[in-house]
Amino acid sequence: MTKLRPSLAQQEFIAKEIRHRRQVVIVRFMLLVLLLALWELAADFGWINSFIFSSPSMIAKCLLGMAADGSLFLHTGVTLLETVVSFALVVAVGLAVALMLWCSRSLSEILEPFLVMLNSLPKSALAPLLIVWLGNNMRTIIVAAISVALFGSILTLHTGFSQMDGEQVKLIYSLGGSRRDVLLKVLLPGSLPLIISNMKVNIGLCLVGVIIGEFLSARAGLGYLITYGSQVFAMTMVVTAIVVLCLMSVVLYQGIALIEKHYSR
């Protein structure tokens, strides 16, 4: 079977899209280099206080020093582990609870106001209580991260499930299907973009929750580094930890984006 070649118009469109993507990448890189150069120049010429604001060269030296003594990998690994574990639990529990609410209208109507209340509650207010209840350990940090993302995830998924195409459900029932068939053949496949989009949001929220927990209850992690650095006025360490956090968030988000691209194909 011969493979159809794209038409001339299609080839021109594909080439235009490739050029556009390359231009976006180049402009992003140039903008980043420009910002770093301006930051370095401002620190060198005294336009900003390098002790407070640090500089790219000072951050690079701090990164190399922390990499040499292994502390960079220790603290980054702890934060990454806590984020991945809390994210996995949020995805699993959030999806399970949202499906339970979809299956039971009564349960949904009973629990919805409580979920809205818990989602609106400032999660930083829970952190001191979690320390008292669970102790000063990694489990407390993971629970704090879960509390930040879980309730919003449940509400988002449940709302999306409730807006499912009713005609497809009627079709399944008219063909003799059961509620299980609706779940497996209509709801979950049709809600896959919603689930992945929710995962993109949750990975960032879990990282925020982990840092909140590490601010109050941690012996290691990037949040611990930020707290320790601010206490001893090692501002370069603080900025370095923030930079590593930014890089980590980008990597985690792109990981979810790769999953989305795989399933979209």
Side-chain angles (χ1 to χ4, degrees), residues 87 196 199-200 203 248-263:
F87 171 71
I196 294 178
M199 290 169 64
K200 286 182 175 181
I203 193 65
M248 182 186 297
S249 64
V250 170
V251 171
L252 292 172
Y253 182 88
Q254 289 301 320
I256 305 299
L258 288 176
I259 295 175
E260 181 182 30
K261 185 179 293 186
H262 172 74
Y263 280 102

Side-chain angles (χ1 to χ4, degrees), residues 51 224-238:
F51 176 77
Y224 167 81
L225 273 185
I226 294 173
T227 303
Y228 174 77
S230 62
Q231 290 173 346
V232 298
F233 292 96
M235 304 312 295
T236 298
M237 178 186 295
V238 174

Side-chain angles (χ1 to χ4, degrees), residues 3 6 15 43 59 85 87 97 122 130 147 153 155 165 187-188 190 196 203 205-206 217 220 248 251:
K3 186 177 181 180
I59 293 172
V85 171
F87 171 71
V97 174
L130 293 176
S147 68
S153 175
L155 290 171
D165 188 359
L187 180 67
L188 290 180
I196 294 178
I203 193 65
L205 291 177
C206 286
S217 170
M248 182 186 297
V251 171

Side-chain angles (χ1 to χ4, degrees), residues 1 8 19 35 47 61-62 70 73 80 86-87 91 96 101 118-119 127 133 135 138 157 160 176 180 220 223-224 263:
M1 183 177 180
L8 182 60
R19 286 196 302 270
L35 291 174
W47 301 337
K61 291 178 182 178
C62 184
F73 307 109
L80 181 61
S86 60
F87 171 71
V91 172
L101 297 179
L118 290 172
N119 185 50
W133 293 342
M138 184 181 292
L157 291 175
R180 181 173 180 272
Y224 167 81
Y263 280 102

Side-chain angles (χ1 to χ4, degrees), residues 169-177:
V169 177
K170 293 178 182 179
L171 177 62
I172 293 292
Y173 285 138
S174 65
L175 295 175

Side-chain angles (χ1 to χ4, degrees), residues 39 42-55 58 235-236 239:
W39 187 4
D44 290 342
F45 287 98
W47 301 337
I48 60 175
N49 190 334
S50 60
F51 176 77
I52 298 176
F53 295 98
S54 190
S55 68
M58 295 171 66
M235 304 312 295
T236 298
V239 179

Side-chain angles (χ1 to χ4, degrees), residues 27-102:
V27 172
R28 284 176 178 174
F29 179 75
M30 292 176 63
L31 180 60
L32 177 61
V33 171
L34 177 62
L35 291 174
L36 292 176
L38 289 175
W39 187 4
E40 185 68 32
L41 287 173
D44 290 342
F45 287 98
W47 301 337
I48 60 175
N49 190 334
S50 60
F51 176 77
I52 298 176
F53 295 98
S54 190
S55 68
S57 60
M58 295 171 66
I59 293 172
K61 291 178 182 178
C62 184
L63 278 173
L64 291 175
M66 293 174 63
D69 61 23
S71 59
L72 175 65
F73 307 109
L74 169 65
H75 295 293
T76 304
V78 169
T79 299
L80 181 61
L81 175 62
E82 292 166 345
T83 303
V84 171
V85 171
S86 60
F87 171 71
L89 291 173
V90 166
V91 172
V93 176
L95 184 58
V97 174
L99 288 175
M100 288 173 55
L101 297 179
W102 174 77

